[in-house]
Amino acid sequence: INPQAPTHVLVIPKRHAPDLGSLAAQAPGELVDVVSAAAQVAAAAGLGDGYRLVFNTGAQAGQTVFHVHGHVLGGRPLSWPPG
């Protein structure tokens, strides 16, 4: 809806967990799978020179969809600090 970079892809696990911490507690192996999938998405998108993986955890961090998902961002220089 509101891409933050030229490449902005969501990686969403099938298991329901409201946020990253919950997924880590419920199924740490699936957390590894999500990060691995994000790396594969970045490679497929040609982001070998750098990308950012973002998990907003909790409303105060900007999470609006309470099913864990990671944002793969890249395709331009990403400044720090974000937001």
Side-chain angles (χ1 to χ4, degrees), residues 13-17 23-24 26-37:
K14 290 182 181 181
R15 174 188 297 272
H16 175 72
L23 182 64
Q26 290 176 14
E30 289 183 32
L31 175 58
V32 172
D33 293 342
V34 170
V35 173
S36 178

Side-chain angles (χ1 to χ4, degrees), residues 4-74:
Q4 299 299 303
T7 299
H8 187 162
V9 179
L10 297 181
V11 179
I12 307 167
K14 290 182 181 181
R15 174 188 297 272
H16 175 72
D19 56 41
L20 186 66
S22 298
L23 182 64
Q26 290 176 14
E30 289 183 32
L31 175 58
V32 172
D33 293 342
V34 170
V35 173
S36 178
Q40 292 173 21
V41 165
L47 302 178
D49 58 338
Y51 64 93
R52 184 170 291 161
L53 179 57
V54 176
F55 290 87
N56 296 320
T57 302
Q60 289 188 3
Q63 185 178 6
T64 57
V65 175
F66 292 90
H67 180 101
V68 66
H69 59 283
H71 300 256
V72 178
L73 305 171

